Every structure is written in C-alpha cells, then in structure tokens.
Amino acid sequence: MTSTPRRIDVHQHVVPPLYREALAGQGITEAGGRALPDWSPSAALELMDLLGTETAILSISTPGTGFLADPGEAAGLARRLNDFSAALSAEHPARFGWFATLPLPDAAASAREAERALAGLGADGVTLLANTGGDYLGGAGQDALWRVLDEHGAVVFVHPAELPGPAVDGIPPFAADFLLDTTRAAYLLVRNGVVRRYPRIRFVLSHAGGFVPYASHRIAVALAADTGRSPLDLLEDLRGFYFDTALSSSPAALPTLLAFARPGHVLFGSDWPFAPTAAGQYFANGLDSGVDPATLAAVDRGNAEALFPRLADAPAPAPARRPLPARLRQAARRAGARAFFRLVQPGTDRGGPREAG
C-alpha cells in the first residue's frame, strides 16, 4: 500500500475477559477448532494500523452465547458483552464500532436485546450465528426477531458456527465446515422468504458468503425446483446479501465474489484475531493487488460507509506517533508480506513466470 486506505473492517472479533471466563467456566478453550486467541484493544489497534484499517466493527465469534443451556444465563451474558462493546466503542469512537450479541435460539429474548442494543446502546448492527445448536437462521419461530431488525433497518452480520454434527477427524471446523454453515443459513433465508418479507435488513455473510457465490446457480436451480420460483429471482435474492473479504481475497476466490455480488456489496474483513496477523496481511495483499483502484476504494471503505452512514463523514484520526524503530518494523512487515504473497501465487516460481514443461 502506498497510502493509508482508511479501511473499515466489518469482520474483526473481540474477546473480552468476561467472555473468556464464561467459556472457561464451561470447559471451552477453543472456537471452530482454534484456540481462543489473545486480544486487547492495544493489540487490535496495532493490527489495524498495520493493515491500514481506520475503523473495525467488532463482534463476538462462535459460540456466542449458545454454549449456555439456561436461556436466562445466555441473555444475561449477551447483555454484559454488549455493555462491554458499547463502552469500548465510546472510549475509541473513531476506531471501534460493534455488532451486538443476541441470545439465540431464544427469538423473543433476542428481539428484546436487539432493541436495547440498537436503540439504547448505539450498536452498529447485530451478530447472528448461522446456527445455534442446530437451529439455523431462516428457520421457524424467528419472526419476532426479524420484525425488530427490519424496523431498525439493521445490519446483520452472519457468522458461521460449528456444524450440528461431529467434525471430521483432521479437518478443523474453521477450515471448511464454516463455509458450509454460512451457505446453509443463506439458503434458508432465501428459501423461506426472510429476505423478501423483511427487506430493510441488510445481511452481511462472512468469508465471502462461504460457498454461495461459487455455487449460486446450482443453489438457485435447487431452490427453484423446491419453491417453484424463478431461478433468476432466486439469484437476485442471493446477490442481495453483502459479503466480506475475510480470508477470501485470494486470486482464486476474489474474482468469483466480485463477478457475483451486486455493486457495493463487498466489504473488507480481516477475521482478526482468530485469523492471525500474517493471514490478515496475506489476504489484504490479495485485495490490494487483485482489483482496480476504484473497486479497491469501494471495498476498503466506500461500500461500508453506505451501510454505516455515521462513518461516512468521520474525519481521519490523527496518525499515531510511533517511534522510528516501530515505524521501520511495520514497514518491513508490510514489505515482507507483499513479497511473500507474490512468491506463493500459482503459476509463479520465485516471483517469475514458470516455463512450460
């Protein structure tokens, strides 16, 4: 990057101490097959400065509150997490926004907490896991929640969870199952008409929508056979989702995403800290080198400004006054990440074209 892009990261996670303690109380030390990562506001800001991110919209990752069997305990944890995120955002208003955590599968309690977070705490939207204990978004009994979110014109960040079945030995859930989980939720949200009945909700699908862009026509044909609707209408419903680039802006995935998504519907995402810093740099370089400048500016910031108008007029924060050695280390890390990205692309041999064999 030759200049600071002022990115808005819609897929960055927060791991508050109270959440880590709640998980530990249930013997949970990992999520999606990865150990719970270290997190602090200062580490988040350091990563953001490295990637050229001005503002991150923070969210709680899987398992959300779904690991608690008691609905009252789940609702109480959601309230505490949202209070924590609201306070963090108030402390760093130019750097952090947040998506509220809701205690699904209890739709009524989730509707109440969504109202509190959106109207009372100033949340930028809500996070919903694709499934909670096997109950998928788009299933029966969720209309109380959809009505509240539609009334607020809410942004709904859909994040995958572990599939409601045993993992396959040797395949960590985050590597492949997460993509299927998001795809299942998107399928049901379209199949069961949620996206049409509640048109003011803006759904953001994590990780470029899982398999949705790649398999969109296959999905549309299956849905058409099931529902009797036109495949073209179903494709338009699928294209109506928003998609983030977290772990997805590769030379293989990015062209498919941009070819499928509606203009303005692709947003920058890093998935930090569950995706380590090196992975964030790798995929940020894929975005930086894979699209034209106008598309890059839209994905980095412009498209998110349309979803979060409060950020559109936000002045750029004053650059951090880092000591010279720290600035040099950061520049070296960026240069090294760019070189590594170029080195490992298919069809290249140490950065140069392969000879025909």
Side-chain angles (χ1 to χ4, degrees):
M1 293 177 290
T2 58
S3 61
T4 303
R6 299 186 65 199
R7 284 178 163 136
I8 297 173
D9 185 349
V10 303
H11 189 154
Q12 188 178 132
H13 294 300
V14 59
V15 189
L18 71 95
Y19 188 56
R20 190 183 299 274
E21 292 169 6
L23 292 171
Q26 299 292 320
I28 299 171
T29 60
E30 64 176 32
R34 294 188 66 91
L36 289 175
D38 293 332
W39 175 89
S40 68
S42 61
L45 292 170
E46 182 178 352
L47 176 280
M48 291 161 64
D49 290 343
L50 183 66
L51 298 187
T53 299
E54 180 175 303
T55 305
I57 312 297
L58 303 177
S59 56
I60 296 292
S61 186
T62 184
T65 65
F67 66 96
L68 293 171
D70 182 86
E73 290 183 9
L77 178 58
R79 286 193 297 271
R80 293 193 299 275
L81 290 171
N82 293 335
D83 290 341
F84 176 94
S85 295
L88 179 64
S89 179
E91 186 177 354
H92 303 275
R95 305 307 304 273
F96 294 131
W98 60 289
F99 291 124
T101 298
L102 303 183
L104 283 177
D106 188 331
S110 294
R112 291 191 294 272
E113 184 60 18
E115 180 68 33
R116 186 182 83 96
L118 294 168
L121 298 181
D124 291 294
V126 304
T127 304
L128 299 180
L129 297 181
N131 92 87
T132 304
D135 289 333
Y136 270 91
L137 300 183
Q142 298 170 357
D143 286 279
L145 174 59
W146 301 134
R147 283 193 294 270
V148 169
L149 297 177
D150 191 68
E151 289 169 3
H152 284 278
V155 176
V156 172
F157 177 62
V158 178
H159 193 278
E162 295 190 21
L163 296 178
V168 175
D169 187 38
I171 304 177
F174 76 87
D177 295 356
F178 271 16
L179 306 178
L180 175 58
D181 200 46
T182 300
T183 304
R184 285 177 169 182
Y187 190 107
L188 290 173
L189 288 168
V190 171
R191 179 191 182 275
N192 295 333
V194 173
V195 296
R196 294 234 164 181
R197 293 200 310 277
Y198 303 100
R200 297 187 67 236
I201 300 175
R202 281 78 53 81
F203 291 96
V204 179
L205 302 183
S206 299
H207 311 118
F211 302 128
V212 169
Y214 185 83
S216 54
H217 288 253
R218 177 176 181 150
I219 291 171
V221 168
L223 284 168
D226 184 22
T227 65
R229 293 178 55 200
S230 161
L232 292 178
D233 287 345
L234 292 161
L235 281 169
E236 281 305 299
D237 284 355
L238 292 168
R239 293 180 70 232
F241 291 114
Y242 289 78
F243 306 86
D244 75 46
T245 65
L247 301 177
S248 303
S249 47
S250 70
L254 187 59
T256 300
L257 174 60
L258 293 172
F260 175 73
R262 285 182 188 170
H265 280 225
V266 179
L267 312 163
F268 177 76
S270 71
D271 208 352
W272 188 86
F274 286 91
T277 297
Q281 289 184 281
Y282 181 87
F283 287 101
N285 278 306
L287 181 62
D288 290 340
S289 61
V291 298
D292 62 87
T295 300
L296 179 60
V299 174
D300 276 346
R301 185 174 183 90
N303 297 341
E305 287 181 331
L307 275 183
F308 308 103
R310 73 175 184 84
L311 300 177
D313 299 322
R321 295 183 177 274
R322 295 182 179 275
L324 179 60
R327 296 201 302 272
L328 292 175
R329 285 195 299 270
Q330 188 177 78
R333 292 174 72 184
R334 287 174 171 168
R338 286 194 295 269
F340 178 76
F341 180 83
R342 291 193 295 268
L343 180 66
V344 301
Q345 296 316 304
T348 63
D349 183 9
R350 296 189 182 280
R354 288 180 178 168
E355 297 180 0

